Amino acid sequence: MEISKIHIDADDYQFFSTLEDKEKIEFLHDAQNIGLNLSISKRIEQDQDELKQSLNDIFQDTMMEEHINLNGKLVITTMNNFIHLNSNSLKLIRSFVHKLFDDGHIITRHTNAKKLPAVDYLRYYRCYEIIGSGDPFCPN
């Protein structure tokens, strides 16, 4: 098949115009060798793989810890620069936040954050963003 014989309608052109320059060349090469429909489906599969990889990169820094003591249970979920605290005791959350502050972490609370249904199942929930860190703070 020759490039001059490839018919690209409006929808295909819209898809084609979103591609980068190198991707356009690859798309035309594939359209010439394997056909227009197969080259579109190949590009969509590549986009899905890139999306899965970017989602894995986003959640790569996710950690979850669970602490149980006499006062209750505290679940700490860290995602990127956000700390999600979930506990059955508000006192535990406050003491953990004060400990973070005393260790030199600068944090701000996000009041509009929502509980994660599968993870945050305890009564109290707080979300904080880690802005930075410095020297430990001594209240004395």
Side-chain angles (χ1 to χ4, degrees):
M1 176 183 267
E2 295 178 12
I3 291 181
S4 61
K5 294 182 181 178
I6 296 175
H7 174 71
I8 298 177
D9 59 6
D11 292 334
D12 295 336
Y13 180 75
Q14 179 68 27
F15 173 76
F16 183 76
S17 63
T18 61
L19 299 176
E20 298 290 326
D21 292 339
K22 290 182 181 180
E23 293 171 344
K24 288 178 183 177
I25 293 170
E26 180 183 356
F27 176 79
L28 289 174
H29 179 267
D30 290 340
Q32 185 177 4
N33 291 331
I34 61 175
L36 185 63
N37 292 336
L38 289 176
S39 65
I40 290 174
S41 63
K42 178 183 173 187
R43 185 65 213 154
I44 290 172
E45 288 174 7
Q46 288 175 349
D47 287 344
Q48 289 174 346
D49 292 341
E50 290 172 6
L51 178 64
K52 287 179 186 176
Q53 181 61 37
S54 65
L55 285 176
N56 288 339
D57 292 342
I58 289 171
F59 293 109
Q60 180 179 3
D61 297 333
T62 302
M63 292 176 21
M64 184 173 176
E65 297 178 28
E66 190 171 306
H67 300 280
I68 301 173
N69 63 16
L70 297 175
N71 296 333
K73 183 178 188 178
L74 176 65
V75 179
I76 305 164
T77 308
T78 307
M79 289 188 230
N80 299 330
N81 289 335
F82 292 94
I83 298 176
H84 301 269
L85 303 173
N86 190 14
S87 178
N88 55 0
S89 169
L90 196 55
K91 184 177 181 179
L92 277 175
I93 292 176
R94 286 188 194 133
S95 65
F96 185 77
V97 169
H98 289 296
K99 172 77 171 116
L100 285 174
F101 181 72
D102 290 344
D103 288 344
H105 298 287
I106 303 167
I107 58 176
T108 59
R109 181 172 172 205
H110 280 270
T111 56
N112 58 352
K114 303 290 183 195
K115 281 186 172 185
L116 301 171
V119 178
D120 300 321
Y121 55 90
L122 298 172
R123 182 174 179 188
Y124 298 105
Y125 171 79
R126 299 289 186 268
C127 179
Y128 295 90
E129 180 180 5
I130 301 173
I131 297 176
S133 61
D135 294 331
F137 179 75
C138 181
N140 293 339

